[in-house]
C-alpha cells in the first residue's frame, strides 16, 4: 500500500496487495483493512505522530499460500525503495524459507504512485505472455525512466513522520518555504525550494 494501491485497483490488474501498518499516535492499524484512506486523510491533522510499519512476515506467507493453492509457484515482489521502507528485508527473509516457491524481488527505488505505475505495467507485460525473467528485465528498464516529485501542503506531516526536525519545519514555515521533494538514489531529497504554496504547485506542474 506504499504504492497508493487500493484492493480494487490491485484486483483490476491481478496484483497481490500486501497492506502496510499505520502507526497513528498509540494505534497500530492495518492499512485499508482497519482504516480506510478517506478516514486517514480526514483525521490526519489530529495525529501527533505518523509512521508506517512493515507487515508481519506471516501476512506475506498467507498471500504466498493463496498463490500456491492456485497452482502458482513463483512471484515477483515489486517494492518501494529499500531506503524508505523495510519491505525488501521482509521478502528477503522469506526466500530461504520458501524452497518450493520462487520469489524474486525488484526494488523500484521509488515510492507512491510512481512505484505503483511500474507494478501495473509489469502486470500488463506479464499478462501478454512474458515469463518471470523477461518481466524482471522489463521492470528494470521502466525504473530507469521513472521519476516522482511531490509537495506537502504542510511541513508538519514531515515532522510527524520523523523526516525533518520541528526546528527545520518551524523555520521553513516562518519563511513560507514549500520544498519540492523527489527520490534520488532511492532516498527522499529536496529537489528545489520554493516560496509560497502557489509557486510550489506551479513549479511542480512545470517539471
Amino acid at each position: 500500500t506504499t504504492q497508493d494501491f487500493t484492493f480494487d485497483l490491485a484486483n483490476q490488474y491481478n496484483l497481490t496487495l500486501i497492506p502496510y501498518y499505520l502507526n497513528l499516535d498509540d494505534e497500530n492499524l492495518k492499512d485499508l483493512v482497519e482504516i480506510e484512506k478517506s478516514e486517514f486523510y480526514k483525521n490526519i491533522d489530529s495525529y501527533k505522530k505518523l509512521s508506517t510499519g512493515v507487515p508481519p512476515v506471516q501476512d506475506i506467507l498467507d498471500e504466498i499460500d493463496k498463490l500456491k493453492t492456485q497452482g502458482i509457484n513463483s512471484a515477483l515482489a515489486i517494492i518501494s525503495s529499500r531506503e524508505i521502507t523495510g519491505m525488501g528485508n521482509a521478502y528477503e527473509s522469506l526466500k530461504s524459507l520458501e524452497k518450493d516457491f520462487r520469489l524474486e524481488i525488484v526494488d523500484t527505488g521509488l515510492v507512491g504512485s510512481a512505484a505503483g505505475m511500474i507494478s501495473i505495467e509489469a502486470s500488463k507485460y506479464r499478462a501478454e505472455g512474458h515469463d518471470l525473467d523477461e518481466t524482471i528485465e522489463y521492470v528494470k528498464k521502466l525504473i530507469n525512466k521513472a521519476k516522482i516529485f511531490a509537495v506537502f501542503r504542510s511541513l508538519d506531516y514531515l515532522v510527524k513522520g520523523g523526516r525533518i526536525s520541528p526546528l527545520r519545519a518551524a523555520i521553513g514555515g516562518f519563511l513560507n518555504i514549500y520544498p519540492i521533494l523527489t527520490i534520488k538514489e532511492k532516498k527522499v531529497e529536496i529537489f528545489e525550494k520554493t516560496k509560497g504554496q502557489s509557486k510550489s504547485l506551479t513549479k511542480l506542474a512545470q517539471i
Side-chain angles (χ1 to χ4, degrees), residues 24-61:
L24 310 174
D25 292 336
D26 296 327
E27 290 188 291
N28 183 249
L29 304 174
K30 192 171 186 177
D31 194 16
L32 302 183
V33 176
E34 297 174 326
I35 183 171
E36 293 291 339
K37 285 187 182 294
S38 58
E39 181 183 354
F40 170 75
Y41 286 114
K42 179 181 178 181
N43 298 310
I44 190 171
D45 290 326
S46 67
Y47 302 123
K48 294 181 180 179
K49 294 181 181 180
L50 298 171
S51 63
T52 58
V54 175
V57 171
Q58 189 59 51
D59 284 11
I60 305 173
L61 285 173

Side-chain angles (χ1 to χ4, degrees), residues 10 21 54 86 102 120 206:
Y21 282 74
V54 175
R102 181 185 175 191
I120 289 173
Q206 293 172 345

Side-chain angles (χ1 to χ4, degrees), residues 100-140:
D100 58 343
F101 189 89
R102 181 185 175 191
L103 179 62
E104 296 294 335
I105 307 165
V106 174
D107 182 357
T108 63
L110 301 164
V111 73
S113 55
M117 290 174 67
I118 288 175
S119 294
I120 289 173
E121 291 304 314
S123 179
K124 291 179 181 178
Y125 188 77
R126 184 71 178 88
E128 292 173 359
H130 299 281
D131 64 25
L132 180 58
D133 292 313
E134 290 172 332
T135 304
I136 291 172
E137 292 306 311
Y138 178 68
V139 168
K140 290 178 179 179

Side-chain angles (χ1 to χ4, degrees), residues 135-203:
T135 304
I136 291 172
E137 292 306 311
Y138 178 68
V139 168
K140 290 178 179 179
K141 291 178 181 178
L142 291 178
I143 291 171
N144 291 331
K145 300 177 181 179
K147 296 182 183 296
I148 183 171
F149 300 92
V151 174
F152 287 87
R153 67 178 180 179
S154 171
L155 296 178
D156 289 342
Y157 303 135
L158 296 177
V159 174
K160 293 177 181 182
R163 299 296 180 185
I164 65 173
S165 69
L167 178 60
R168 287 184 65 187
I171 294 173
F174 178 75
L175 297 175
N176 200 25
I177 298 295
Y178 284 80
I180 296 175
L181 305 178
T182 188
I183 301 288
K184 186 177 181 180
E185 296 180 356
K186 301 183 180 182
K187 296 180 181 180
V188 177
E189 301 283 354
I190 294 177
F191 175 76
E192 187 174 321
K193 294 179 181 178
T194 56
K195 195 164 186 179
Q197 188 175 39
S198 61
K199 287 184 178 180
S200 70
L201 295 176
T202 300
K203 181 62 180 179

Side-chain angles (χ1 to χ4, degrees), residues 7 11 14-19 30 33 57-75 98 101:
F7 284 112
N11 290 336
N14 198 27
L15 293 165
T16 296
L17 182 62
I18 309 289
K30 192 171 186 177
V33 176
V57 171
Q58 189 59 51
D59 284 11
I60 305 173
L61 285 173
D62 290 345
E63 294 302 328
I64 289 177
D65 286 340
K66 290 178 184 178
L67 295 177
K68 287 180 177 179
T69 61
Q70 299 173 41
I72 299 172
N73 58 12
S74 64
E98 292 293 329
F101 189 89

